[in-house]
Amino acid sequence: MAPVLSRSLTPASVASLPYSPLFSSRNNTHNRLSLRSAFFHQNELKNSSFSCSGLKWKVDKRGSSVVVKCEASAVAEKEAPEASGEKHEYQAEVSRLMNLIVHSLYSHKEIFLRELVSNASDALDKLRFLSVTDPSLLGDAGELEIRIKPDPEKGTITISDTGIGMTKEELIDCLGTIAQSGTSKFLNALKENKDLGNDNSLIGQFGVGFYSAFLVAEKVIVSTKSPRSDKQYIWEAAAESSSYVIREETDPEKQIRRGTEITLFLKDDDKYEFTEPSRVQGLVKNYSQFVSFPIFTWQEKSRTVEVEEEEPKEGEETPSEGEKKKKTKTEKYWDWELANETKPIWMRNPKEIEKDQYSEFYKKTFNEFLDPLAHTHFTTEGEVEFRSVIYIPGMAPMNNEDVVNPKTKNIRLYVKRVFISDDFDGELFPRYLSFVKGVVDSNDLPLNVSREILQESRIVRIMRKRLVRKTFDMIQELADSENKEDYRKFWENFGKFVKLGCIEDTGNHKRITPLLRFFSSKSEEELISLDQYIDNMDEKQNAIYYIATDSLQSARSAPFLEKLVQKDIEVLYLVEPIDEVAIQNLQTYKEKKFVDVSKEDLELGDTDEVKERESKQEYILLCDWMKQQLGDKVAKVQISSRLSSSPCVLVSGKFGWSANMERLMRAQTLGDTSTLEFMRGRRIMEVNPDHPIIKDLNAACKNAPESTEAKRAVELLYETALISSGFTPDSPAELGGKIYEMMAVALGGRWGRVEESEEAGETSESAPESESESTETEVVEPSEVRTEADPWST
């Protein structure tokens, strides 16, 4: 019998067995290997275990068979040393890493100028801070400033500062090590040295801002001089290279007293854009306008100078020196121009700022020509600290697409006075407040490395919550002010935004609802608030009644209001498409429910139950008969408690769409007709038992239930109720035909019209007298045949 190898043997263990032709496979179900006796030494078979290939094997004799097993513990002991491998550092290909930094972190090429100006500002901040304890660092190298000079001829742009500069070691450490932030190191050193304090106004933290220069440059040269060193060094690198060169500056003409000068040799595609002086100045004003150091840009200017006229031509008299005429001409020249003269208004004390200054800042920042309706300037402290100034514009945007666009560029985000972005997708303000304009400046926003994308986080949510709350406080203050005209302008321009908030922001319903304004049955000329409505209502009234229509005219003439107006109950008019959905999302206000007067089960609170019971009993047969005639057009016919002058009205089901909502959904471009049929709900026909038409139909159903005229009257009554209730008839042409037919019956011969055949008989003089006598008949005018109940009779 062949020895059996244990199934616990790992592949590695099997591989460690020496190969020998002594092995021969047998076809059996136990996967056994037959070994010849020459494989093992006789002494080894006598022992209970032996070693082979570094593994421990156990020999077990079973009769004439030998079983060989590999012990698992031995396998584990052998594999244990292999688990602890060598430790290696990640290897990065520098050129590819640089390519990722340049082309993946930044979404716009123009960002390079913001990053380099921010680095220059940090260098100036460091020098100013260190000079407090070591004034010798300032020396006589001039003021702390930044200068930017484009050169269209050479295709370069140079950014220079008079900041702290860098030594050779700092060049290698900061510019030679990717993502090594000198600013971050400086801040850490300040935190460790408590005696020096902590200045967290520095901007750069990630150490990759400098490399944004390669977005537009094919080569970058950095010339820097530190006040701590006597030598000036040059750092030079190309965009596609993985190495850089550092050398000492030996040219006396290129020596600088202190600071850093960065020269970008622009790519061919970017030369014309970023060497244009006006373009450079525009970028500075957009991104770095509020940097605390002056930024000068090299600009072309013009001036008017006086020059003497040219010498006179031949034949002309030469004027004397005193009589020589002078003329003016305009000449152009180049000079430095301050680009960031505006101070950040949000960093100042609100008590020291006049209203005109806020308006001027608003107009200049957002290119507006109208003064804002309101503004608020605030600072929040605690776990999230930021400063902000927000405005309500003087008018709504002209383009309807901008009304609820979450990506409007109305909020400008700054981090330490450096502009970051104005392209947000609802992170800082909800969509319905997208009309609000303002600036937000924070020192600890969770930005990404490129500082262009605001990451969703708890801090952002807290900021959003506080900004929204301050906005509502500002609007409420405007509503409560004595000048009602300002809030009227606000509501005229931005009322739709506020109503949209009722739909999208359930958490702020308590702040939104007091701001709403509507017309009503008691105030058709002036908008009223819900608080005014509640103050005017009767103590017994426990609901806020409203009706949704397409205009004030249709609202005031709607049959649903007849009994409510008769009882002096005020009804809100919802005449804008968004009104009904907004009110339905509110549901209640100050424990008063909103009730649609065009829906079933309207309770007015003072119904005469005895009279109502008698009316139902008297007209129960009429209701069943009318339901039978109308079929599936209505869910049921019942006696109405809301009508006083109209014969009937069609009301919507309690949970279905109203007539106004049905009209709006039909008008949707992408409306689903199947949804329309489902949500339309049931229609209930309510009849007025006190109206003469209903009384006549009640008599008809009792005395002549099969009368064709009565059935036609019921159909016409239903279709007329459709229109008066705000619904759209299924076949307007068919309805028009029925109305024409009824008019023909009512008007026939009323004003003594004579038939054409009769006129022809009277004017026929040639006809024989006998013939005329035989054909003469008695003519009865239709006007003489009238019933007492004819509404057209006088």
Side-chain angles (χ1 to χ4, degrees):
M1 298 291 292
V4 179
L5 294 177
S6 172
R7 290 184 179 271
S8 64
L9 192 64
T10 62
S13 302
V14 174
S16 65
L17 282 172
Y19 172 78
S20 174
L22 298 176
F23 283 92
S24 61
S25 176
R26 289 187 178 180
N27 295 327
N28 54 42
T29 58
H30 299 289
N31 276 337
R32 296 185 179 183
L33 295 175
S34 175
L35 292 86
R36 298 179 183 176
S37 60
F39 184 79
F40 296 109
H41 195 272
Q42 290 182 355
N43 293 333
E44 291 176 341
L45 292 175
K46 293 179 181 179
N47 299 326
S48 60
S49 63
F50 67 95
S51 298
C52 178
S53 298
L55 297 178
K56 199 169 184 179
W57 300 84
K58 185 176 181 181
V59 181
D60 192 8
K61 296 183 67 177
R62 298 179 183 174
S64 59
S65 302
V66 178
V67 179
V68 182
K69 295 182 180 179
C70 178
E71 294 186 359
S73 60
V75 176
E77 290 175 1
K78 180 171 180 62
E79 291 181 347
E82 295 179 1
S84 57
E86 297 180 0
K87 185 178 181 181
H88 296 276
E89 298 291 337
Y90 287 108
Q91 301 298 319
E93 189 176 337
V94 177
S95 60
R96 297 186 69 179
L97 182 59
M98 283 285 293
N99 186 65
L100 283 174
I101 292 174
V102 171
H103 298 289
S104 298
L105 289 183
Y106 302 98
S107 56
H108 302 289
K109 286 185 176 182
E110 62 189 34
I111 295 298
F112 83 94
L113 193 60
R114 181 196 72 184
E115 295 295 305
L116 295 180
V117 170
S118 297
N119 287 347
S121 175
D122 279 354
L124 294 167
D125 258 324
K126 291 178 187 178
L127 178 62
R128 182 171 59 181
F129 185 84
L130 294 174
S131 65
V132 174
T133 55
D134 189 2
S136 62
L137 293 175
L138 289 175
D140 57 349
E143 300 293 330
L144 301 180
E145 62 184 19
I146 302 170
R147 294 182 181 267
I148 304 172
K149 185 176 183 179
D151 191 337
E153 296 181 358
K154 296 181 181 179
T156 62
I157 181 172
T158 303
I159 300 96
S160 60
D161 66 76
T162 56
I164 190 64
M166 288 178 281
T167 63
K168 182 178 181 181
E169 292 75 14
E170 289 171 338
L171 271 177
I172 298 173
D173 193 27
C174 295
L175 301 189
T177 306
I178 296 177
Q180 176 77 288
S181 173
T183 299
S184 182
K185 276 188 173 182
F186 184 73
L187 289 176
N188 291 334
L190 290 180
K191 291 178 181 178
E192 292 176 2
N193 190 350
K194 296 181 180 179
D195 296 336
L196 293 178
N198 184 13
D199 181 10
N200 61 358
S201 64
L202 301 181
I203 302 164
Q205 297 286 330
F206 297 101
V208 295
F210 168 78
Y211 305 103
S212 65
F214 292 105
L215 285 167
V216 296
E218 57 185 14
K219 185 174 73 172
V220 177
I221 296 179
V222 179
S223 180
T224 183
K225 169 73 167 58
S226 173
R228 294 169 175 170
S229 173
D230 297 331
K231 297 180 180 181
Q232 178 178 334
Y233 293 96
I234 304 295
W235 182 97
E236 182 177 343
E240 302 298 332
S241 175
S242 59
S243 60
Y244 58 91
V245 176
I246 295 179
R247 66 178 186 274
E248 184 179 345
E249 179 63 77
T250 56
D251 189 350
E253 296 182 356
K254 297 182 179 179
Q255 292 288 335
I256 56 178
R257 290 183 290 178
R258 183 191 68 229
T260 303
E261 186 179 276
I262 303 176
T263 302
L264 279 62
F265 294 82
L266 301 174
K267 299 175 183 178
D268 293 337
D269 296 339
D270 303 311
K271 282 183 180 179
Y272 299 102
E273 180 180 0
F274 297 111
T275 57
E276 175 64 31
S278 59
R279 171 65 167 155
V280 173
Q281 189 175 38
L283 291 176
V284 172
K285 287 182 177 294
N286 186 40
Y287 289 102
S288 307
Q289 184 180 11
F290 302 111
V291 168
S292 55
F293 299 97
I295 302 175
F296 296 92
T297 58
W298 190 246
Q299 297 291 322
E300 185 181 22
K301 299 183 178 181
S302 61
R303 60 189 171 193
T304 302
V305 295
E306 290 186 352
V307 295
E308 294 182 354
E309 289 187 347
E310 298 178 357
E311 295 183 359
K313 298 179 181 179
E314 295 182 0
E316 295 181 359
E317 295 183 1
T318 304
S320 60
E321 293 183 1
E323 295 178 353
K324 286 184 178 181
K325 295 182 179 180
K326 294 184 179 181
K327 65 177 182 180
T328 60
K329 74 172 186 178
T330 302
E331 65 176 12
K332 294 183 178 181
Y333 69 101
W334 291 86
D335 197 3
W336 294 105
E337 181 177 322
L338 186 64
N340 63 332
E341 56 187 356
T342 304
K343 295 181 180 179
I345 198 170
W346 62 85
M347 301 297 294
R348 298 164 57 188
N349 188 346
K351 297 179 180 179
E352 301 174 357
I353 307 173
E354 301 293 334
K355 183 178 179 181
D356 293 341
Q357 293 176 299
Y358 282 114
S359 298
E360 181 183 355
F361 174 78
Y362 167 76
K363 292 178 181 179
K364 190 170 184 179
T365 305
F366 299 101
N367 297 321
E368 292 283 345
F369 60 92
L370 291 177
D371 289 335
L373 287 176
H375 72 273
T376 181
H377 182 184
F378 61 94
T379 301
T380 62
E381 297 179 351
E383 54 184 335
V384 177
E385 296 183 6
F386 65 92
R387 296 171 179 265
S388 180
V389 180
I390 54 179
Y391 297 87
I392 296 177
M395 65 178 296
M398 302 297 292
N399 189 356
N400 290 331
E401 294 180 359
D402 294 336
V403 172
V404 288
N405 184 7
K407 293 188 177 182
T408 52
K409 298 181 181 298
N410 290 343
I411 300 298
R412 296 176 60 85
L413 175 66
Y414 292 81
V415 171
K416 301 166 186 174
R417 301 180 306 282
V418 175
F419 174 67
I420 299 302
S421 177
D422 58 2
D423 187 10
F424 302 110
D425 191 7
E427 289 98 338
L428 289 179
F429 269 90
R431 186 171 67 134
Y432 68 93
L433 289 179
S434 59
F435 65 90
V436 177
K437 297 185 178 183
V439 295
V440 178
D441 188 2
S442 175
N443 292 342
D444 51 0
L445 273 180
L447 303 174
N448 69 345
V449 178
S450 68
R451 301 191 290 167
E452 297 170 57
I453 303 171
L454 189 61
Q455 298 172 347
E456 180 64 27
S457 70
R458 178 171 164 271
I459 295 178
V460 176
R461 290 194 296 269
I462 294 174
M463 286 186 63
R464 172 188 169 116
K465 186 176 181 180
R466 293 186 180 178
L467 286 169
V468 171
R469 186 180 302 170
K470 287 292 184 179
T471 302
F472 279 124
D473 292 343
M474 175 175 57
I475 298 174
Q476 188 63 55
E477 184 176 348
L478 185 66
D480 296 338
S481 65
E482 296 180 358
N483 188 355
K484 301 300 180 182
E485 183 65 20
D486 286 345
Y487 193 76
R488 188 194 63 78
K489 289 181 181 178
F490 166 79
W491 189 255
E492 183 180 337
N493 286 286
F494 308 109
K496 295 183 179 68
F497 292 85
V498 179
K499 293 172 185 176
L500 182 62
C502 299
I503 303 170
E504 295 188 343
D505 193 356
T506 57
N508 281 309
H509 275 179
K510 290 184 178 180
R511 293 185 175 90
I512 296 173
T513 313
L515 304 175
L516 298 177
R517 298 292 186 271
F518 301 100
F519 291 106
S520 73
S521 57
K522 292 184 179 181
S523 179
E524 297 182 0
E525 301 295 332
E526 186 177 350
L527 293 165
I528 65 167
S529 66
L530 294 178
D531 289 323
Q532 288 175 297
Y533 179 95
I534 292 177
D535 292 340
N536 295 335
M537 68 192 307
D538 188 82
E539 295 180 357
K540 298 180 181 179
Q541 185 177 335
N542 56 4
I544 301 174
Y545 297 101
Y546 70 89
I547 182 171
T549 60
D550 58 345
S551 66
L552 279 174
Q553 180 67 27
S554 58
R556 68 168 65 99
S557 60
F560 306 102
L561 272 63
E562 294 175 358
K563 235 359 168 0
L564 287 94
V565 173
Q566 192 176 20
K567 294 184 176 183
D568 197 33
I569 297 177
E570 191 172 13
V571 180
L572 297 177
Y573 293 161
L574 311 186
V575 295
E576 293 187 354
I578 196 175
D579 288 352
E580 185 175 3
V581 182
I583 288 295
Q584 288 175 351
N585 277 270
L586 292 177
Q587 295 183 351
T588 61
Y589 179 61
K590 292 187 175 179
E591 299 180 356
K592 305 289 185 182
K593 289 184 178 182
F594 290 96
V595 176
D596 188 348
V597 298
S598 68
K599 292 194 173 183
E600 64 174 325
D601 298 337
L602 178 66
E603 297 180 0
L604 300 180
D606 57 348
T607 306
D608 189 346
E609 296 182 359
V610 177
K611 184 179 179 180
E612 184 179 3
R613 195 182 311 114
E614 292 176 353
S615 297
K616 286 183 178 180
Q617 187 67 28
E618 182 180 355
Y619 288 91
I620 187 171
L621 184 62
L622 173 65
C623 293
D624 293 340
W625 179 70
M626 292 180 67
K627 173 64 175 76
Q628 183 179 2
Q629 304 305 319
L630 297 174
D632 295 334
K633 293 179 180 179
V634 296
K636 62 180 178 179
V637 180
Q638 64 185 23
I639 300 300
S640 177
S641 59
R642 73 184 84 205
L643 299 175
S644 61
S645 58
S646 299
C648 63
V649 71
L650 279 175
V651 300
S652 305
K654 195 171 184 179
F655 302 103
W657 281 340
S658 65
N660 181 66
M661 184 61 66
E662 186 176 325
R663 176 182 58 83
L664 293 175
M665 297 309 295
R666 283 181 182 273
Q668 297 300 311
T669 305
L670 302 177
D672 187 359
T673 55
S674 60
T675 305
L676 177 64
E677 292 299 321
F678 174 74
M679 288 301 297
R680 185 173 66 176
R682 60 178 190 169
R683 295 171 181 171
I684 300 169
M685 189 173 188
E686 293 188 357
V687 296
N688 181 6
D690 299 326
H691 199 277
I693 295 179
I694 302 302
K695 291 181 178 180
D696 289 340
L697 287 177
N698 187 33
C701 94
K702 294 178 180 179
N703 301 327
E706 300 299 327
S707 172
T708 305
E709 289 77 6
K711 292 180 179 180
R712 288 169 60 190
V714 171
E715 292 181 2
L716 186 59
L717 196 66
Y718 164 77
E719 295 185 5
T720 307
L722 269 178
I723 298 176
S724 64
S725 303
F727 294 98
T728 303
D730 296 331
S731 178
E734 185 178 345
L735 173 59
K738 293 178 181 178
I739 295 175
Y740 296 151
E741 185 179 351
M742 294 292 290
M743 289 179 66
V745 172
L747 297 179
R750 178 173 179 79
W751 294 285
R753 177 173 58 86
V754 181
E755 297 290 342
E756 294 179 0
S757 58
E758 297 172 4
E759 289 184 8
E762 291 175 0
T763 56
S764 178
E765 297 178 356
S766 60
E769 189 176 342
S770 58
E771 184 180 348
S772 62
E773 291 178 356
S774 62
T775 58
E776 185 178 354
T777 57
E778 184 181 358
V779 178
V780 180
E781 294 292 340
S783 59
E784 298 177 4
V785 183
R786 299 206 174 273
T787 61
E788 294 180 359
D790 189 349
W792 291 94
S793 62
T794 56

